[in-house]
Amino acid sequence: MGYKVVVVGATGNVGREMLNILDERAFPIEEIAVLASRRSLGTEVSFGDRTLKTQDLATFDFTGWDMALFAIGSEATREYAPKAASQGCVVIDNSSLYRMDPDVPLVVPEVNADAVLGYTKKNIIANPNCSTAQMVVALKPLHDRAKIKRVVVSTYQSVSGTGKEAIDELWNQTKGMYVPGQEVEPSVYPRQIAFNVIPHIDDFMEDGGTKEEWKMVVETKKILDPAIKLTATCVRVPVFVGHSEALNIEFEEFLDEDEARDILREAPGIMVVDKREDGGYVTPVECVGDFATFISRIRQDSTIENGLNLWCVSDNLRKGAALNAVQIAEALGQKALKKG
């Protein structure tokens, strides 16, 4: 016996990845429906060896369906997630809409899987921001051992985090640099992204930070520990898929780099590749299509009393979005619905 699962936004990058991962992980499915907006109605998407035709989100009845994985923007989610939830279908939402709602659990299964049990208040579970998700997977086992006081994180985020239009912009701008007359002006981003880095993700806030940086701060507190102090600088880089992060972590007590390496090797969802030689680390190119969060460059920070530095890389369409949503669905099934 399996679950009746809906994938909302099935024609987008994350929605298609959700379908791939549901199939790869052999999620117990009795029936599946794929939904899209009217303009994408009838578009076909792949699910394993099957081809599914999208149905209209606006008219779909969620009654009798167990869970819906939402991969659409906040505005559409605001309209349709409460509808699905009120019809008895548990929503796993990838947008930012419900993340900081006190009645909605924000879940990274390697970190706080039991939090899924809080879904009953609104029938909704939130998926965190992509940059937060991979970071807290790395922080959790270290925090359990030595208690983290403060984190300074700089991100190097790929264009797929913005969507297909951003991927196209990077591709076309890059080609245009070499073909006179085919130059492409920025439209998705405020500056050229090809051969450039942009220290700006999401909207600016009054304090000079961006909303992406704010998300990393407040989501880490909600998922991991409200006492952790965190400051972030989020940067868009000309990479198609894969977010990277440089983390500087200050602990309440000393944690040796060798012990940290051993702890991370044993932690769920993490792969340590840390050789002190040319190429002895992971870059975004190697992480694409993988489930793991990769950790490299683990080393002591001698400028503070109890500090470590590390490098963290993950496929943002997977752990940062689709994989985490499917893992939430798995945890929900195991801990609450218990049908599969």
Side-chain angles (χ1 to χ4, degrees), residues 8-10 35 57 70-77 80-81 93-96:
V8 182
L35 310 186
L57 169 60
F70 271 59
I72 53 178
S74 293
E75 287 311 306
T77 299
Y80 294 108
D93 177 33
N94 196 59
S95 81
S96 61

Side-chain angles (χ1 to χ4, degrees), residues 104-108 112-120 125 222-223 335:
V104 174
L106 181 64
V107 178
V108 175
N112 63 337
D114 287 343
V116 297
L117 298 172
Y119 80 94
T120 53
I125 301 170
K222 183 172 179 178
I223 296 167
K335 295 176 180 294

Side-chain angles (χ1 to χ4, degrees), residues 1 60 63 109 130 142 160 218 237 305 330:
M1 188 166 69
F60 189 80
T63 305
C130 49
L142 302 177
S160 57
V218 295
V237 297
E305 193 170 344
E330 291 169 345

Side-chain angles (χ1 to χ4, degrees), residues 170-317:
L170 173 57
W171 175 251
N172 291 325
Q173 275 184 358
T174 303
K175 288 193 299 179
M177 298 287 284
Y178 295 98
V179 184
Q182 292 190 18
E183 296 85 359
V184 175
E185 290 298 312
S187 61
V188 175
Y189 295 120
R191 296 288 182 93
Q192 173 186 310
I193 184 61
F195 302 99
N196 200 15
V197 298
I198 304 173
H200 168 202
I201 299 178
D202 213 325
D203 298 330
F204 274 95
M205 304 178 73
E206 285 187 10
D207 66 355
T210 65
K211 201 168 180 185
E212 182 83 359
E213 292 155 0
W214 172 82
K215 288 174 192 172
M216 294 192 76
V217 174
V218 295
E219 291 176 15
T220 299
K221 288 177 178 290
K222 183 172 179 178
I223 296 167
L224 188 54
D225 187 338
I228 291 176
K229 295 178 180 179
L230 186 142
T231 182
T233 301
C234 294
V235 181
R236 191 72 68 188
V237 297
V239 169
F240 287 113
V241 178
H243 287 357
S244 306
E245 298 172 347
L247 294 165
N248 176 260
I249 311 165
E250 184 179 357
F251 298 91
E252 288 194 357
E253 59 182 273
F254 180 76
L255 177 59
D256 178 75
E257 62 188 40
D258 291 326
E259 184 183 355
R261 196 174 289 106
D262 291 340
I263 289 169
L264 290 166
R265 281 199 177 105
E266 297 298 318
I270 290 175
M271 181 76 68
V272 174
V273 179
D274 189 19
K275 299 176 182 177
R276 295 180 176 179
E277 59 189 43
D278 292 352
Y281 41 77
V282 172
T283 67
V285 169
E286 293 93 53
C287 81
V288 175
D290 206 295
F291 289 136
T293 294
F294 291 90
I295 306 297
S296 308
R297 302 291 321 278
I298 303 164
R299 62 204 188 279
Q300 228 78 49
D301 176 6
S302 60
T303 68
I304 53 177
E305 193 170 344
N306 301 314
L308 282 178
N309 291 303
L310 57 85
W311 176 250
C312 174
V313 181
S314 189
D315 182 330
N316 56 292
L317 296 179

